[in-house]
Amino acid sequence: MESVSYGNLPNEGLYPEQTSCSGSYYQPNVPGGATKTAVYAGHTITLRYFYHPSCGSFARIENAPEGCAAHSNRPSDTGTAWVLETVDPGINYAYTKVINNLDGRLSKAVLFCDNQRLAETAWY
């Protein structure tokens, strides 16, 4: 799912492996850390924020049950642009499409489970 204002910038609407930066995203020095954990329904879930200075960023969650979602967002002229991916049946992870936080824009990664915000990174 995505907001109406998402997808207007380069690389938005693409998964990280579909961009020219595939394989070279890294976890940057985000204030407070690019990795966060939260416990939900007996699972210790890991939220990770990945970035590339030419393509943007994405969020990934690991060890997450169904009902959880990786969420990326950035401020926009019309509020907040966001994209999220939920955990599919049979797997325990999810990752978002790229969000463009280049040219002075900021973004962050957020973990939601059953509409509860459980963890998030700082803006980067």
Side-chain angles (χ1 to χ4, degrees), residues 9 51 53 74-76 100-107 123-124:
L9 298 173
Y51 173 77
R74 66 170 167 78
S76 74
N100 187 316
N101 64 323
L102 309 175
D103 301 320
R105 293 180 200 92
L106 298 174
S107 70
W123 292 105
Y124 185 80

Side-chain angles (χ1 to χ4, degrees), residues 4-18:
V4 173
S5 55
Y6 174 79
N8 297 329
L9 298 173
N11 291 313
E12 290 189 341
L14 299 175
Y15 287 103
E17 65 273 14
Q18 295 172 321

Side-chain angles (χ1 to χ4, degrees), residues 42-109:
H43 298 262
T44 300
I45 303 167
T46 303
L47 168 68
R48 299 183 192 278
Y49 176 90
F50 291 93
Y51 173 77
H52 191 283
S54 298
C55 290
S57 64
F58 71 94
R60 178 181 170 94
I61 57 174
E62 299 161 355
N63 196 40
E66 287 183 53
C68 293
H71 183 277
S72 291
N73 63 44
R74 66 170 167 78
S76 74
D77 294 340
T78 58
T80 301
W82 57 267
V83 60
L84 71 80
E85 292 283 341
T86 58
V87 174
D88 289 332
I91 61 174
N92 66 354
Y93 68 92
Y95 60 97
T96 67
K97 294 177 181 175
V98 172
I99 198 151
N100 187 316
N101 64 323
L102 309 175
D103 301 320
R105 293 180 200 92
L106 298 174
S107 70
K108 67 178 173 179

